[in-house]
């Protein structure tokens, strides 16, 4: 099993996604002799998972069933164990596009955090690219190395435990892109410039506060970056539902009014008009925005090394 190479069969040691519904899923490490409890009953790894195909419908001990899905960066973002606040697919998608990433690209990242963006970057630059990711917190760096090894992508990523603002990324003049998600990104702009290739490299900084963005933009100008621009990505989700609408028979009502001497100015006639309009209903599919939605996540500042 690998997050960048699809496999048909579930094997011992794989990470799989147990799908109970669109709003309910979780990751599980497949191990011989282990069981997993769900609200539909027990899943026995030895008999229910190992050797089965990904996407299989598995019946649990209580008679309910779940689907077992192959892990992807998108599914991992929705289910990973949170060690820090993470980036979600809305911001990740614009980051990979605006940094112009492709298979073979070299990317530097700080900080690693929970690895949400890291998995997406690795899948984008595979099979010949590489990710150099820096994490200040030692335990988070060690956990990230462990996850990358379990997910079969350790050959595509190098994890370094150090302060990027003081020590940089550990590479020079090779990166096609740099991504910063740290409290004071303006202190790392000089190291980012040193890591980027001689000309045309792209940089992105993610910051939740506009004051951080202002200081970062000033630092980018000071180090000679061009095409500096800041974006805020907002996602608006629609809920599709069925609604019933009345069908007014306006033509028939007009004929009745003309033949019976209907006087629309007479209040006593309004009740009969409403009765005619409510004779039938029809069902429609309608899209309605959710009452609550995720708003501001952060500002994305992009620039190019001149």
């Amino acid at each position: 099993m690998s997050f960048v190479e699809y496999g048909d069969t579930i094997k011992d040691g794989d990470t799989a996604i147990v799908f109970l519904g669109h709003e309910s899923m979780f990751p599980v490490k497949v191990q011989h002799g282990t069981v997993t409890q769900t609200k539909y009953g027990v899943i026995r790894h030895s008999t229910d998972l190992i050797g089965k195909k990904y996407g299989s419908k598995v019946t649990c001990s209580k008679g309910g069933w779940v689907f077992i899905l192959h892990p992807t960066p998108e599914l991992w973002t929705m289910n990973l164990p949170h060690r820090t606040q993470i980036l979600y697919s809305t911001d990740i998608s614009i980051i990979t596009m605006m940094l112009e990433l492709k298979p073979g690209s070299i990317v530097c990242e700080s900080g690693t955090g929970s690895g949400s963006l890291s998995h997406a970057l690795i899948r984008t630059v595979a099979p010949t690219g590489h990710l150099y990711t820096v994490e200040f917190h030692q335990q988070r760096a060690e956990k990230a190395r462990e996850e990358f090894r379990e997910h079969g992508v350790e050959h595509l990523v190098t994890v370094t435990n150090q302060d990027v603002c003081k020590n940089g990324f550990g590479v020079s003049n090779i990166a096609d892109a740099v991504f910063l998600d740290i409290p004071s990104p303006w202190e790392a702009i000089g190291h980012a410039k040193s890591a980027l290739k001689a000309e045309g490299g792209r940089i992105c900084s993610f910051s939740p506060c506009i004051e951080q963005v202002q200081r970062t933009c000033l630092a980018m100008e000071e180090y000679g970056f061009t095409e500096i621009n800041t974006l805020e990505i907002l996602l608006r989700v629609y809920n599709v539902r069925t609604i019933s609408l009345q069908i007014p028979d306006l033509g028939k009502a007009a004929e009745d009014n003309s033949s019976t001497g209907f006087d629309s100015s007479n209040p006593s006639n309004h009740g009969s008009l409403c009765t005619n309009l409510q004779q039938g209903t029809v069902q429609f599919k309608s899209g309605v925005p959710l009452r609550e939605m995720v708003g501001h996540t952060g500002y994305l500042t992009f620039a190019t090394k001149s």
Side-chain angles (χ1 to χ4, degrees):
M1 184 278 304
S2 170
F3 272 54
V4 298
E5 297 176 359
Y6 184 81
D8 289 330
T9 306
I10 304 172
K11 298 180 177 64
D12 189 14
D14 282 3
T15 298
I17 305 296
V18 180
F19 181 90
L20 293 84
H22 290 291
E23 302 297 329
S24 180
M25 62 184 93
F26 60 89
V28 62
K29 184 174 181 179
V30 179
Q31 292 180 309
H32 185 79
T34 302
V35 298
T36 297
Q37 296 283 349
T38 74
K39 62 181 180 180
Y40 301 125
V42 172
I43 301 174
R44 295 175 175 82
H45 294 200
S46 300
T47 57
D48 297 333
L49 299 183
I50 297 176
K52 300 291 181 63
K53 288 185 175 295
Y54 278 107
S56 296
K57 182 178 179 180
V58 174
T59 302
C60 304
S61 61
K62 293 182 180 179
W65 48 267
V66 299
F67 287 107
I68 307 299
L69 305 181
H70 192 285
T72 65
E74 292 82 5
L75 289 175
W76 187 245
T77 291
M78 297 170 63
N79 295 282
L80 58 78
H82 285 229
R83 299 184 288 274
T84 59
Q85 180 59 266
I86 69 170
L87 289 176
Y88 290 91
S89 298
T90 307
D91 290 312
I92 291 173
S93 60
I94 198 71
I95 290 169
T96 55
M97 184 187 76
M98 294 295 287
L99 289 182
E100 302 173 2
L101 301 182
K102 59 186 182 298
S105 294
I106 305 297
V107 186
C108 292
E109 175 198 26
S110 182
T112 312
S114 301
S116 174
L117 176 64
S118 303
H119 282 81
L121 294 177
I122 291 169
R123 197 262 307 272
T124 302
V125 305
T128 56
H130 201 84
L131 172 66
Y132 294 90
T133 183
V134 177
E135 173 56 51
F136 175 78
H137 194 277
Q138 182 178 357
Q139 290 180 334
R140 288 201 292 262
E142 292 174 353
K143 185 61 178 178
R145 289 192 192 97
E146 180 184 342
E147 285 183 349
F148 293 142
R149 183 170 58 254
E150 291 178 352
H151 298 166
V153 296
E154 72 277 8
H155 61 292
L156 297 170
V157 57
T158 299
V159 181
T160 305
N161 172 220
Q162 64 187 29
D163 186 349
V164 71
C165 296
K166 294 181 179 179
N167 303 314
F169 294 94
V171 296
S172 299
N173 302 319
I174 63 169
D176 297 289
V178 169
F179 176 79
L180 299 174
D181 183 6
I182 54 178
S184 52
W186 56 89
E187 297 180 1
I189 299 300
H191 294 296
K193 182 177 181 179
S194 298
L196 286 168
K197 59 186 181 182
E199 185 177 359
R202 295 279 287 167
I203 183 174
C204 174
S205 174
F206 176 91
S207 297
C209 301
I210 195 64
E211 292 81 6
Q212 294 170 302
V213 174
Q214 292 170 332
R215 295 189 65 174
T216 302
C217 289
L218 291 175
M220 288 178 175
E221 288 182 343
E222 180 182 347
Y223 280 95
F225 284 90
T226 60
E227 298 178 340
I228 303 172
N229 64 87
T230 299
L231 309 176
E232 182 182 25
I233 312 301
L234 300 178
L235 177 65
R236 191 178 190 188
V237 178
Y238 277 76
N239 182 30
V240 179
R241 64 182 184 181
T242 302
I243 61 174
S244 296
L245 297 178
Q246 298 171 357
I247 307 175
D249 192 353
L250 300 179
K252 188 174 185 299
E255 293 175 2
D256 292 345
N257 293 345
S258 61
S259 61
T260 59
F262 180 86
D263 184 4
S264 60
S265 63
N266 188 347
S268 63
N269 289 328
H270 290 172
S272 60
L273 177 61
C274 291
T275 301
N276 290 334
L277 295 180
Q278 294 176 354
Q279 290 178 350
T281 60
V282 65
Q283 291 186 330
F284 290 94
K285 292 290 186 182
S286 175
V288 181
L290 300 180
R291 293 181 181 271
E292 297 181 358
M293 59 172 276
V294 176
H296 172 76
T297 57
Y299 300 102
L300 293 169
T301 300
F302 296 91
T304 304
K305 183 178 180 180
S306 176

